[in-house]
Amino acid sequence: MPTLFDPLQLGAITAPNRIFMAPLTRARATRDHVPTALQADYYAQRAGAGLIISEATGISREGLGWPFAPGLWTPEQTEAWKPVTEAVHKAGGRIVAQLWHMGRIVHSSFLGGAQPVSASATTAPGQAHTYDGKQPYDEARPLALAEIPRLLDDYRTAAANAIEAAFDGVQLHAANGYLIDQFLRDNSNFRSDAYGGSIENRIRLLDEVTRAIVDVVGADRTGVRLSPNGDVQGANDSNPQALFTAAAAALSEIGIAFLEMREPQGDSSFRPNEVPPIAPAIREVFDGVLVLNSDFTPESAAQTVESGLADAIAFGRPFIANPDLPARIAHDLPLAKPEVATFYSQGPEGYTDYPVAETEAA
């Protein structure tokens, strides 16, 4: 039986263990979405992960609506990522860039007053995080058919920039109610063209974007993230098992290196799972490496990998307060708890100042 500490091959990437770092938005880039030296320290501290999946990183100005989040669409952003990947590699780690288009979750203030885009003319519930505090979301306009080639090019450019910045690969963010997820789910996609209606049509954009990325970086350096777990930021589906097994089967046909799924375990206080677990059905149709995420404990992670339900587990919040998480799990050491108040602040506090276990012991 495999353990959390067995190596794992993800296409062209060799992970020395199966404790992955999940993507975590931390808001430490500049207002122009340029990575900073602080991010190099943060990721290098966590290089003991089998694989680091970077924080969600915008593919275009249109697609990024989170204050101080990084991007990968300009030369300046690309150059600024290079010290980050270099620091991770020097520390013995591997890191892939998560490519992000937020769709209707982008507030118009990030777009000079223009409308955000989505599958259909819908409005996300709640309020957007902006540089001027929380504001109601805007109604999105439907992405026009004529704009889809441009969107595919934006993904290709960001993927190429990720490789230029020496990332080991990329992950397509197709989860959590963002643009691709808005196309996938039937309560946010009301289109009547080739991208709406049937499940086959609603997974079309996911398929096309994934293939566009694969054309640039190769299937062996491409991963995808899905979240088949009920309502996320207002995006939901009436038949999630049918939808997400079809999506996973399509991704398996493309031959991507890994599929990561956010599927909360048990009684999640963060984002609860509103539907029965879909991972077992996806395991049946997806032939590549399957990674599960959200609310795992070291014990449940070990059991899940040993059972064969997943090949690896991606930990999010535990990696915030435990930069040496794999070592702590290996030695059965207690885990520190993260400080929620500093999740999205701009300085080192609550970011690079969490000690490793050896420091605490000393």
Side-chain angles (χ1 to χ4, degrees):
M1 293 184 295
T3 74
L4 290 174
F5 297 96
D6 288 331
L8 180 64
Q9 195 69 33
L10 303 94
I13 303 169
T14 302
N17 64 64
R18 299 172 185 229
I19 300 170
F20 291 5
M21 180 174 167
L24 293 158
T25 294
R26 302 302 312 278
R28 260 68 175 193
T30 71
R31 195 177 176 117
D32 292 325
H33 308 295
V34 178
T36 63
L38 198 60
Q39 289 170 262
D41 294 339
Y42 168 76
Y43 283 115
Q45 289 174 352
R46 290 153 179 82
L51 177 69
I52 295 172
I53 304 170
S54 84
E55 63 204 278
T57 302
I59 65 163
S60 64
R61 172 66 66 185
E62 172 194 81
L64 186 53
W66 190 278
F68 301 106
L72 257 175
W73 69 86
T74 71
E76 183 183 10
Q77 292 163 350
T78 304
E79 286 299 312
W81 273 114
K82 291 180 180 179
V84 180
T85 59
E86 181 181 11
V88 170
H89 292 149
K90 279 187 175 180
R94 294 132 299 276
I95 182 170
V96 298
Q98 190 189 61
L99 305 184
W100 196 26
H101 192 304
M102 297 171 65
R104 69 181 186 179
I105 307 298
V106 179
H107 188 266
S108 59
S109 62
F110 290 89
L111 306 174
Q115 269 185 296
V117 299
S118 185
S120 302
T122 60
T123 305
Q127 294 183 306
H129 293 271
T130 79
Y131 287 114
D132 299 311
K134 290 189 175 182
Q135 299 187 49
Y137 286 110
D138 304 291
E139 181 178 89
R141 65 174 180 83
L143 188 71
L145 280 175
E147 295 178 283
I148 289 177
R150 185 263 302 163
L151 177 70
L152 298 179
D153 283 342
D154 288 344
Y155 275 104
R156 290 187 186 98
T157 297
N161 287 344
I163 299 304
E164 169 65 22
F167 281 96
D168 297 293
V170 301
Q171 184 195 63
L172 170 62
H173 196 342
N176 295 4
Y178 297 117
L179 181 68
I180 304 296
D181 212 17
Q182 292 158 26
F183 270 80
L184 288 174
R185 304 195 193 221
D186 61 12
N187 87 328
S188 54
N189 183 342
F190 306 114
R191 301 175 74 99
S192 58
D193 57 22
Y195 294 88
S198 68
I199 287 176
E200 180 183 11
N201 282 355
R202 283 184 279 125
I203 68 173
R204 190 180 307 278
L205 186 64
L206 168 66
D207 185 272
E208 291 181 352
V209 170
T210 304
R211 290 180 186 276
I213 292 170
V214 164
D215 285 345
V216 174
V217 308
D220 60 349
R221 294 190 183 276
T222 300
V224 173
R225 178 175 240 227
L226 297 174
S227 55
N229 44 261
D231 187 305
V232 189
Q233 300 194 97
N236 209 344
D237 195 80
S238 62
N239 191 354
Q241 180 154 328
L243 169 63
F244 287 102
T245 52
L251 295 171
S252 186
E253 183 178 337
I254 295 170
I256 62 171
F258 70 99
L259 173 61
E260 185 215 7
M261 293 200 326
R262 191 192 155 274
E263 187 163 75
Q265 305 300 297
D267 183 19
S268 170
S269 60
F270 185 59
R271 282 181 181 164
N273 197 352
E274 299 176 347
V275 299
I278 296 175
I282 287 182
R283 191 58 152 162
E284 293 295 317
V285 300
F286 183 72
D287 295 331
V289 170
L290 182 63
V291 184
L292 295 184
N293 160 254
S294 200
D295 303 297
F296 280 91
T297 64
E299 295 75 20
S300 64
Q303 292 167 3
T304 300
V305 168
E306 288 171 5
S307 74
L309 178 59
D311 299 298
I313 303 298
F315 290 87
R317 284 160 290 150
F319 257 115
I320 291 177
N322 302 276
D324 57 339
L325 182 63
R328 290 190 188 226
I329 293 175
H331 298 289
D332 196 25
L333 298 175
L335 302 186
K337 294 188 180 300
E339 178 56 57
V340 176
T342 56
F343 274 7
Y344 308 119
S345 55
Q346 275 70 70
E349 183 182 0
Y351 189 60
T352 56
D353 60 354
Y354 286 108
V356 298
E358 291 79 6
T359 302
E360 290 175 346

